[in-house]
Amino acid sequence: MSTQPTILVLGATGKVGAKIAQILAQSGDVKVVAGVRSPNKIKTLEAIGIEIRHLDLDRQETLAPALAGIDRALLLTGYTVDMLKQSKAFLDTAKQTGVEHIVHIGASGAPTNEVAHWGWHQFIEKYIEALGFSFTHLRPEAFMQNLLSFGWLNKGVLTNYIANARWSWVSCDDVALVAAVTLRCHQEHRGQIYPLGYEAATMPEIAKELTEIIGKPFQVDNHSPEEFLETVLKAGGDPAYMQCIYHQLKLNIANAIPEADATFDNFEQITGQKPTTWQSLIQQERSSFIY
């Protein structure tokens, strides 16, 4: 009889969740279950031996069957205010079904009360603790891959909504690796809060680095937070969540978020590897940046 722990990964069809599931499956010492809302995109997961279970955070009746027999779980929600009710329902059910350890991917822990969705994640962290789970809280800063996945980069033009503000950045793959390590080796990381941000840069600085590495000019196209909000709402973004991002951008431009460019030295200790830099990411994703 197998004694391998069983780990549930939410968001396993997304960029970060899929990478976490793959890393765990490749380790060979845990059983990986992907909780997915839609059967789309699961063939890749099934091909590497990951069990698929239907789990819809908005449908209470799917939670207990998906969580049956799970020892550890990754909690990762989408970009809507519904993350609050979704997380509570998931955690309540996980407690009832005997889940021991929760790794939660939240957001920046910068010391401000003015960015609402960062506070939502901190409420979720406290609820995890209140229910008595063993836990690891991950607090990633801005994702480097947002330049590509959000369409901020198009044929040598980098859309910029933060003027000359400097952000702390982290690669999605680095977040995934930390999550996988803290799920596999939960005893070593229980009770820890890990901020994840490893290089600080402005949008003009990123454009300059792209120009130097790719060998073609990259320009910055400045837009206002108001234009950001209009664009994302037209695209169907959740109004409550996108208002949070809008206010964050305005605060960034005003240099009113303390430690917005803070970087951290915990990655090598957690993973045994060096974190991704903008230089290494641009080189790795070179084909995506060429125009």
Side-chain angles (χ1 to χ4, degrees):
M1 183 176 178
S2 174
T3 57
Q4 289 185 340
T6 302
I7 298 177
L8 175 75
V9 177
L10 285 182
T13 57
K15 187 180 292 290
V16 175
K19 187 72 174 181
I20 294 168
Q22 291 163 11
I23 294 170
L24 290 171
Q26 289 164 1
S27 74
D29 55 9
V30 297
K31 178 181 177 182
V32 186
V33 174
V36 300
R37 182 175 58 184
S38 167
N40 298 336
K41 303 179 184 177
I42 65 173
K43 289 183 179 179
T44 304
L45 300 174
E46 289 179 319
I48 57 174
I50 294 174
E51 179 186 340
I52 307 298
R53 296 185 188 178
H54 176 56
L55 192 159
D56 186 338
L57 289 172
D58 290 319
R59 294 181 59 196
Q60 183 81 33
E61 68 274 14
T62 70
L63 301 182
L67 283 161
I70 299 298
D71 300 300
R72 307 169 201 161
L74 174 80
L75 177 55
L76 173 62
T77 52
Y79 299 135
T80 77
V81 68
D82 288 341
M83 71 167 66
L84 292 166
K85 69 174 185 178
Q86 290 170 346
S87 296
K88 184 179 188 305
F90 180 85
L91 293 166
D92 287 343
T93 308
K95 191 65 180 177
Q96 294 163 8
T97 57
V99 175
E100 177 190 354
H101 186 78
I102 300 287
V103 173
H104 172 246
I105 297 181
S108 174
T112 178
N113 293 320
E114 296 187 77
V115 182
H117 68 289
W118 294 354
W120 299 346
H121 281 294
Q122 289 168 25
F123 280 127
I124 293 167
E125 290 175 355
K126 291 304 180 185
Y127 194 63
I128 290 169
E129 297 173 24
L131 288 177
F133 288 105
S134 168
F135 66 87
T136 309
H137 301 322
L138 307 184
R139 294 180 175 178
E141 299 292 337
F143 288 136
M144 291 174 165
Q145 285 83 352
N146 284 354
L147 263 66
L148 299 169
S149 59
F150 285 167
W152 292 353
L153 185 61
N154 184 31
K155 294 183 178 179
V157 178
L158 180 57
T159 301
N160 179 26
Y161 294 111
I162 57 171
N164 289 317
R166 179 169 277 104
W167 269 357
S168 177
W169 298 88
V170 61
S171 167
C172 291
D173 288 348
D174 287 356
V175 175
L177 182 56
V178 171
V181 167
T182 55
L183 284 162
R184 281 185 63 227
C185 308
H186 71 297
Q187 292 286 5
E188 296 174 30
H189 302 283
R190 64 186 304 166
Q192 297 299 310
I193 299 174
Y194 290 133
L196 310 176
Y198 302 107
E199 184 170 4
T202 66
M203 290 294 190
E205 286 169 346
I206 296 168
K208 184 174 183 289
E209 191 135 29
L210 280 162
T211 298
E212 292 173 354
I213 294 172
I214 301 299
K216 285 188 170 186
F218 284 79
Q219 300 175 338
V220 172
D221 187 16
N222 293 311
H223 293 270
S224 69
E226 286 74 19
E227 289 174 280
F228 164 83
L229 185 61
E230 182 180 357
T231 299
V232 293
L233 292 180
K234 281 183 179 178
D238 175 64
Y241 193 97
M242 294 307 159
Q243 283 281 347
C244 298
I245 306 293
Y246 163 72
H247 287 298
Q248 177 194 340
L249 299 176
K250 293 193 67 159
L251 291 164
N252 281 133
I253 292 171
N255 195 29
I257 297 180
E259 302 175 23
D261 60 348
T263 57
F264 310 96
D265 60 0
N266 54 24
F267 188 77
E268 191 167 2
Q269 179 183 354
I270 297 167
T271 68
Q273 300 181 25
K274 298 285 188 182
T276 302
T277 62
W278 271 113
Q279 182 181 46
S280 60
L281 180 86
I282 294 166
Q283 291 169 340
Q284 290 165 18
E285 301 284 346
R286 187 181 185 87
S287 62
S288 299
F289 292 113
I290 290 175
Y291 65 95

